[in-house]
Amino acid sequence: MIDAAFRSGEDVDVVAYGYSRDRGFSTMVAAPFDSAGHFTRADLVRRSCLPPTLFSMWAKAVRRRVMDLDADYSDYFGLSFAEDLLQSLPIADAVRRGYYIDEPLYYYRVNTASLTRKFDLRQLDARELVHKIHLGYARRWAEELGDTSLVAGVQMTGLKSYAEIAQGVCEVLPKAEAMNCLCEFSQDPTFLEYYALPCCLDGIRRDRRLILRMLSSGHFDVIWAMAKAKAALHKISRR
């Protein structure tokens, strides 16, 4: 199926496909495109900035000719968060055309012990680094395509990240240290800038939006309580 999609055109550089968290593949998660068929570079650029996003490397097959095989990634050694996005951006920039298979071909097994499921303070630097790179691509693409929503989409992703980080520090740090971190986050210039943009909040899940509001208003105890409640519910659900 993937091979046939590549053969559908000499300029097809990437084949994207759906995935499922169901072992029986009966359901598919957040399709990045409305229907099967060819998509343009501009389509992939938009899915690299706007939801439903197509960040994951395992959700697509890519021709080597559009991968930055000669790039030096040594500066990112040890990066354990958003590394898929870091590699997907130059691919989206280089493709000519792609094909989307509207079927779940990949089984995504949720591993609660994985690096992306467990917050680690090292994620702070990784998130900041990748976000800056992502924003740089979005600004260049926005100018090229005349679409400012690309920048707004990446800013929304950055704002959402503050909610995830705020919850994360409450999960792994003693309360006093977590409160200090939340206080620092609430005064971060990037957070203040993005939080002031209505378009960023509109696209964020309700629970994360509440965390952001509590972060902005200084109600850090509420964030702490939410994080502990979520952790308790998650623990119960695993029994």
Side-chain angles (χ1 to χ4, degrees):
M1 189 179 291
I2 292 176
D3 186 54
F6 274 121
R7 291 201 306 269
S8 67
E10 291 185 2
D11 58 348
V12 173
D13 295 317
V14 58
V15 174
Y17 39 82
Y19 71 96
S20 177
R21 292 180 178 176
D22 173 11
R23 287 181 181 274
F25 289 84
S26 60
T27 58
M28 193 164 70
V29 180
F33 301 105
D34 293 333
S35 59
H38 290 102
F39 58 84
T40 66
R41 171 180 174 273
D43 293 330
L44 185 56
V45 161
R46 291 188 176 93
R47 292 286 70 81
S48 300
C49 299
L50 298 165
T53 54
L54 186 57
F55 294 159
S56 301
M57 290 298 293
W58 45 259
K60 50 184 174 280
V62 184
R63 289 193 186 275
R64 285 181 293 179
R65 68 189 179 200
V66 295
M67 298 185 73
D68 53 346
L69 299 178
D70 296 327
D72 182 6
Y73 279 86
S74 59
D75 288 345
Y76 310 115
F77 178 77
L79 190 72
S80 60
F81 188 88
E83 64 275 18
D84 276 21
L85 173 57
L86 187 65
Q87 295 176 74
S88 290
L89 292 171
I91 291 172
D93 200 37
V95 300
R96 294 171 295 175
R97 196 162 61 131
Y99 192 95
Y100 174 59
I101 299 172
D102 194 26
E103 293 185 41
L105 301 186
Y106 185 93
Y107 169 56
Y108 183 91
R109 183 177 68 86
V110 177
N111 178 9
T112 55
S114 70
L115 289 172
T116 54
R117 289 278 165 177
K118 287 190 173 182
F119 182 79
D120 188 311
L121 287 174
R122 289 174 295 180
Q123 287 184 15
L124 297 176
D125 291 337
R127 285 174 185 258
E128 182 179 3
L129 170 66
V130 176
H131 178 68
K132 287 180 178 178
I133 295 171
H134 196 186
L135 191 60
Y137 272 95
R139 284 174 172 156
R140 179 163 59 80
W141 287 334
E143 183 175 350
E144 174 190 336
L145 300 175
D147 186 354
T148 56
S149 69
L150 301 178
V151 175
V154 174
Q155 289 171 328
M156 181 186 69
T157 300
L159 185 60
K160 181 182 70 173
S161 188
Y162 279 97
E164 295 167 347
I165 292 170
Q167 179 177 314
V169 296
C170 291
E171 292 173 355
V172 301
L173 293 179
K175 187 172 183 178
E177 291 182 38
M179 295 297 105
N180 287 335
C181 283
L182 295 179
C183 184
E184 290 182 17
F185 298 157
S186 70
Q187 298 169 19
D188 185 275
T190 302
F191 169 72
L192 295 173
E193 176 190 351
Y194 290 179
Y195 188 79
L197 301 171
C199 60
C200 287
L201 277 177
D202 290 344
I204 294 177
R205 209 171 67 191
R206 288 184 178 182
D207 58 331
R208 290 171 178 163
R209 202 183 310 168
L210 177 58
I211 290 175
L212 293 169
R213 285 174 174 157
M214 295 302 99
L215 189 61
S216 176
S217 60
H219 292 90
F220 305 144
D221 282 329
V222 176
I223 300 174
W224 174 267
M226 288 179 66
K228 295 304 177 185
K230 282 187 175 183
L233 287 171
H234 181 65
K235 188 174 182 179
I236 292 170
S237 68
R238 292 177 61 191
R239 291 177 180 173

